[in-house]
């Protein structure tokens, strides 16, 4: 019993530190309405309303994003969108949801990197130290301060490096753990999974090269390939959705980067700006220590430091992203924000620090000094993190309410009174408060032709989205029935007239105008529906009809999960019997 209680001490401290980080939000009863708040809140509001009304629509957004029928969740973490929608439904208010989701992200990040450290023979004290440092780094806090999904990805990513380090230590890999890690990342945040997949490649390559015999090499290769195949099967819903939507439409991508240096880690005030002085100093000390003791440290430690430094370089202004993008324009919309690569550096370099602190032998009297230094670093870091959260909260009490680090011009705030807006976000049910903040985000809308970084800005997507969807020229009434989005409006002219309806049509969308199906319905440059309305009242019904291929893939996806769960149960039962 005592041993079980002892094991709970570290997770409990991590939970308490998570509360400490967001304590200013709790005590001030304040929120951070960050740069991606409007986008993700509309996603979760939509799934929450789908669950509440039992009108499940995996493709069309029938409640969020001004009930525009656009496709978002199907191609952006569909599973995590429904989980967050359920959480929003339980929490009832957006403030409660923000507090709970912040705690979940912080605690998950802390506990997973703690277990990563312990699995790599880091002492519990040092593992706890690097866990709490990681919880306060920019990649994790991106969710708390900006509602950026990189924060959720950063919370899960440490799990991926448990099987990654096994590749070198054991020349083998736990294929179930590797697959589950990638499945969780893919179902949450595609970019985090892609970065994570690239980051474990050095571990895989070194594991293969350093394997003592052919049998070990084949075992590692076989189990890694099996993990990859299992990952594909367990994320087939995502690939099916991407194929269904992107294969039949010219989808508008995320905005292309025009100058990578504006979104990299920069050197400022004698430190790397997004890391801060203490973490910069820690990483610099680690690099010097690694160079001096290169031959004495373990192979897994060397690969960990090497990979972490490479990703730190790639996320900084020193990496030639602008030059590379001239030869590979696809980088403009795939990498987009190089600073997001910093998450790998934070995980791996902190892990290496933990390994060094735990393996270097020092006299007993020096242990006290080491502990004192570690506690001092942590205390100073914790205070900086606390101040950082407080600085973001200053916008909440201003006339603006939303965070000042975003372009306010791209936001549409329905409630102009700051006090009423604050009250709505804090007290009102999410059904009333979630639609109050909208953002002109054209991502995943269907364009008329293929959109590239070269022609993206020629179409003025944001301006068109604002006038066609958020502030349309006609007044409409929208209702939802099953997966159908119904729109009613009046044509006030005495003759039939072409009118733009504030809903989005994709290739597989089905349109009914006044009870009759419309084939080859007209759309605007961003997919907004255009119909010939008769004088007086008109009615449009919009639904989405996925292809037979999509339905077949979803059957395979469902059977894969059933088979996977049954296999785990069978193996667990067999293990207990033995």
């Amino acid at each position: 019993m005592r041993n079980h209680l002892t094991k709970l001490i570290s997770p409990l401290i991590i939970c308490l530190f998570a509360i400490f980080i967001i304590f200013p939000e709790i005590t001030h009863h304040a929120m951070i309405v960050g740069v991606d708040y409007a986008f993700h809140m509309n996603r979760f509001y939509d799934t929450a309303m789908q669950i509440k009304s039992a009108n499940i629509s995996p493709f069309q957004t029938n409640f969020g994003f001004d009930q525009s029928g656009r496709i978002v969740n199907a191609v952006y973490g569909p599973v995590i969108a429904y989980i967050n929608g359920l959480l929003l439904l339980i929490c009832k208010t957006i403030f409660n949801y923000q507090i709970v989701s912040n705690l979940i992200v912080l605690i998950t990040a802390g506990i997973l990197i703690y277990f990563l450290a312990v699995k790599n023979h880091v002492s519990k004290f040092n593992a706890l130290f690097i866990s709490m440092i990681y919880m306060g780094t920019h990649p994790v806090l991106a969710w708390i301060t900006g509602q950026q999904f990189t924060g959720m990805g950063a919370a899960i990513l440490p799990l991926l490096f448990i099987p990654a380090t096994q590749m070198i230590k054991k020349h083998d890999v736990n294929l179930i753990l590797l697959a589950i890690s990638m499945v969780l990342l893919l179902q949450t945040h595609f970019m985090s999974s892609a970065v994570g997949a690239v980051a474990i490649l050095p571990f895989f390559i070194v594991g293969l090269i350093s394997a003592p015999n052919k049998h070990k090499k084949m075992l590692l290769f076989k189990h890694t390939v099996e993990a990859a195949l299992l990952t594909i099967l367990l994320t087939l819903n995502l690939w099916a959705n991407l194929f269904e939507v992107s294969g039949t439409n010219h989808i508008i991508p995320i905005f292309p980067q025009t100058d990578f240096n504006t979104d990299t880690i920069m050197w400022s005030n004698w430190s790397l700006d997004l890391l801060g002085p203490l973490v910069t100093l820690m990483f610099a000390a680690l690099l010097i220590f690694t160079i001096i003791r290169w031959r004495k440290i373990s192979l897994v430690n060397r690969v960990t430091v090497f990979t972490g430094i490479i990703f730190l370089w790639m996320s900084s202004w020193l990496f030639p992203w602008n030059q590379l993008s001239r030869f590979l324009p696809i980088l403009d919309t795939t990498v987009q924000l190089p600073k997001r690569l910093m998450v790998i550096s934070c995980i791996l370099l902190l892990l290496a620090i933990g390994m060094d602190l735990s393996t270097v032998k020092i006299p007993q009297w020096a242990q006290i000094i080491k502990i004192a230094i570690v506690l001092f670093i942590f205390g100073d870091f914790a205070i900086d993190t606390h101040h950082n959260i407080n600085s973001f909260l200053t916008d909440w009490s201003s006339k603006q309410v939303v965070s000042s680090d975003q372009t306010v011009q791209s936001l549409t705030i329905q409630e102009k009174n700051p006090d009423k807006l604050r009250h709505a976000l804090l007290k009102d049910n999410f059904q009333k408060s979630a639609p109050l903040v909208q953002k002109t985000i054209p991502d995943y809308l269907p364009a008329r032709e293929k959109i590239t970084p070269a022609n993206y800005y020629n179409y003025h997507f944001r301006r068109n989205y604002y006038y066609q969807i958020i502030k349309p020229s006609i007044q409409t009434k929208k209702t939802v029935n099953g997966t159908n989005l119904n729109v009613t409006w009046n044509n006030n002219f005495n003759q039939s007239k072409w009118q733009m309806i504030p809903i989005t049509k994709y290739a597989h969308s089905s349109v009914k105008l006044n009870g009759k199906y419309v084939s080859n319905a007209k759309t605007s440059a961003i997919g907004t529906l255009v119909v010939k309305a008769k004088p007086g009242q008109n009615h449009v019904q919009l639904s989405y009809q996925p292809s037979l291929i999509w339905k077949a893939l979803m059957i395979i996806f469902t059977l894969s999960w059933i088979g996977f769960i049954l296999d785990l149960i069978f193996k667990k039962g067999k293990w207990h019997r033995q």
Side-chain angles (χ1 to χ4, degrees):
M1 181 67 179
R2 188 175 179 181
N3 288 336
H4 287 299
L5 289 173
T6 304
K7 289 179 180 178
L8 291 175
I9 290 175
S10 293
L12 180 61
I13 293 173
I14 287 170
C15 292
L16 290 173
F17 187 59
I19 294 171
F20 171 80
I21 290 175
I22 65 164
F23 201 63
E25 291 183 82
I26 299 170
T27 54
H28 297 306
H29 212 57
M31 282 178 57
I32 299 173
V33 184
V35 64
D36 280 345
Y37 165 87
F39 180 70
H40 293 300
M41 189 49 61
N42 270 277
R43 291 177 62 212
F44 306 152
Y45 165 62
D46 185 75
T47 52
M49 290 303 298
Q50 286 186 41
I51 296 168
K52 183 177 181 179
S53 64
N55 291 322
I56 304 299
S57 174
F59 287 95
Q60 271 186 198
T61 302
N62 290 337
F63 296 96
F65 296 99
D66 284 295
Q67 294 188 280
S68 60
R70 64 186 291 188
I71 295 173
V72 178
N73 285 327
V75 293
Y76 195 127
V79 173
I80 201 72
Y82 279 97
I83 292 172
N84 275 279
L86 180 61
L87 184 62
L88 181 59
L89 198 60
I90 294 168
C91 292
K92 295 184 179 180
T93 70
I94 292 178
F95 173 73
N96 291 343
Y97 164 80
Q98 186 168 104
I99 295 298
V100 173
S101 65
N102 286 353
L103 285 173
I104 290 171
V105 168
L106 288 167
I107 292 168
T108 302
I111 287 177
L112 288 184
I113 198 169
Y114 175 83
F115 283 120
L116 168 64
V118 170
K119 287 286 184 181
N120 283 278
H121 311 296
V122 176
S123 70
K124 290 182 179 179
F125 175 79
N126 292 327
L128 190 59
F129 167 65
I130 68 167
S131 297
M132 292 191 287
I133 294 293
Y134 182 62
M135 291 165 69
T137 58
H138 180 270
V140 178
L141 290 182
W143 173 255
I144 285 78
T145 60
Q147 292 78 56
Q148 294 171 291
F149 242 53
T150 48
M152 285 201 174
I156 301 169
L157 264 169
L159 183 65
L160 180 63
F161 290 97
I162 296 177
T165 51
Q166 282 180 345
M167 292 175 177
I168 297 175
K169 291 186 295 182
K170 298 181 178 180
H171 306 292
D172 195 5
V173 67
N174 183 328
L175 72 92
I176 299 296
L177 184 57
L178 178 57
I180 287 298
S181 303
M182 285 303 298
V183 168
L184 287 172
L185 284 166
L186 281 164
Q187 296 287 11
T188 301
H189 189 233
F190 192 86
M191 182 61 184
S192 294
S193 65
V195 171
V198 173
I200 65 173
L201 277 176
F203 294 87
F204 173 71
I205 293 168
V206 172
L208 273 180
I209 294 171
S210 62
N213 52 59
K214 188 177 180 180
H215 172 71
K216 281 284 187 181
K217 291 180 192 289
M218 289 304 298
L219 200 64
L220 174 57
F221 183 80
K222 175 175 174 286
H223 286 165
T224 304
V225 171
E226 287 174 351
L229 293 174
L230 182 58
T231 299
I232 292 170
L233 287 172
L234 298 182
T235 56
L236 204 54
N237 65 318
L238 182 60
W239 307 116
N241 289 351
L242 287 168
F243 176 77
E244 165 69 23
V245 179
S246 300
T248 55
N249 299 275
H250 295 298
I251 295 299
I252 299 173
I254 54 177
F255 74 90
Q257 183 61 264
T258 54
D259 181 8
F260 281 96
N261 286 339
T262 60
D263 286 293
T264 57
I265 305 174
M266 303 294 288
W267 183 261
S268 175
N269 296 324
W270 297 96
S271 67
L272 296 170
D273 55 2
L274 295 179
L275 289 176
L278 272 176
V279 177
T280 302
L281 184 62
M282 287 168 62
F283 288 175
L286 170 68
L287 181 59
I288 294 168
F289 182 85
T290 303
I291 293 170
I292 293 171
R293 291 177 55 87
W294 182 257
R295 293 187 178 183
K296 295 181 180 180
I297 61 176
S298 66
L299 181 59
V300 68
N301 197 332
R302 291 181 209 167
V303 176
T304 299
V305 174
F306 175 78
T307 308
I309 293 296
I310 290 297
F311 271 85
L312 188 61
W313 172 50
M314 290 170 68
S315 63
S316 76
W317 83 103
L318 295 171
F319 194 84
W321 286 114
N322 284 328
Q323 290 78 4
L324 271 179
S325 67
R326 290 172 195 159
F327 300 100
L328 295 169
I330 194 172
L331 294 175
D332 295 340
T333 53
T334 51
V335 174
Q336 195 195 30
L337 309 173
K339 65 184 179 184
R340 294 188 293 192
L341 304 176
M342 178 179 64
V343 62
I344 302 298
S345 305
C346 290
I347 295 169
L348 295 182
L349 297 182
L350 285 172
L351 173 61
I353 288 169
M355 288 192 282
D356 288 340
L357 288 173
S358 302
T359 55
V360 175
K361 293 179 180 179
I362 58 175
Q364 190 64 38
W365 60 268
Q367 288 284 356
I368 299 172
I369 297 174
K370 186 191 85 169
I371 292 171
I373 292 171
V374 166
L375 290 175
F376 171 78
I377 291 171
F378 168 70
D380 196 55
F381 181 78
I383 292 169
D384 282 347
T385 303
H386 193 74
H387 288 161
N388 186 24
I389 298 297
N390 269 319
S391 67
F392 274 93
L393 286 174
T394 55
D395 293 317
W396 173 257
S397 55
S398 70
K399 290 182 179 180
Q400 186 172 299
V401 181
V402 301
S403 272
S404 56
D405 65 340
Q406 58 185 312
T407 306
V408 181
Q409 287 80 2
S410 68
L411 293 176
T412 300
I413 302 174
Q414 309 293 351
E415 178 53 72
K416 303 301 181 184
N417 185 305
D419 292 329
K420 289 182 179 179
L421 178 60
R422 279 187 283 266
H423 182 273
L425 296 173
L426 290 174
K427 301 288 186 182
D428 289 347
N429 188 282
F430 73 89
Q431 288 178 246
K432 181 180 178 182
S433 54
L436 291 179
V437 182
Q438 299 290 340
K439 195 170 185 178
T440 52
I441 303 173
D443 303 0
Y444 318 122
L445 291 172
R448 286 176 177 164
E449 61 181 1
K450 186 177 180 180
I451 304 301
T452 65
N455 66 9
Y456 182 94
Y457 291 103
N458 296 339
Y459 290 89
H460 307 291
F461 291 127
R462 290 179 181 270
R463 185 179 68 188
N464 286 336
Y465 184 77
Y466 178 82
Y467 287 110
Q468 293 177 25
I469 301 295
I470 297 177
K471 293 292 182 183
S473 59
I474 61 171
Q475 295 294 317
T476 61
K477 180 182 178 181
K478 297 178 180 179
T479 58
V480 180
N481 178 25
T483 60
N484 300 323
L485 179 60
N486 302 298
V487 186
T488 305
W489 78 101
N490 284 318
N491 173 10
N492 296 321
F493 294 88
N494 294 325
Q495 58 186 6
S496 295
K497 187 175 179 64
W498 288 100
Q499 292 185 314
M500 192 173 289
I501 315 304
I503 53 176
T504 308
K505 181 197 173 295
Y506 292 79
H508 287 170
S509 295
S510 176
V511 178
K512 260 187 179 182
L513 173 62
N514 298 321
K516 295 180 180 179
Y517 283 103
V518 179
S519 59
N520 300 318
K522 292 185 178 183
T523 59
S524 73
I526 60 169
T528 307
L529 182 64
V530 179
V531 298
K532 195 168 187 178
K534 63 181 177 63
Q537 191 177 78
N538 288 265
H539 176 79
V540 158
Q541 184 182 85
L542 182 73
S543 60
Y544 191 89
Q545 306 297 328
S547 65
L548 288 174
I549 295 174
W550 179 85
K551 292 174 182 177
L553 290 173
M554 290 305 293
I555 291 171
I556 297 171
F557 166 72
T558 305
L559 291 175
S560 298
W561 269 103
I562 292 171
F564 175 69
I565 292 168
L566 289 176
D567 185 61
L568 286 181
I569 293 170
F570 175 76
K571 285 179 178 176
K572 189 175 182 181
K574 188 178 179 180
W575 179 79
H576 278 299
R577 285 194 299 271
Q578 290 174 346

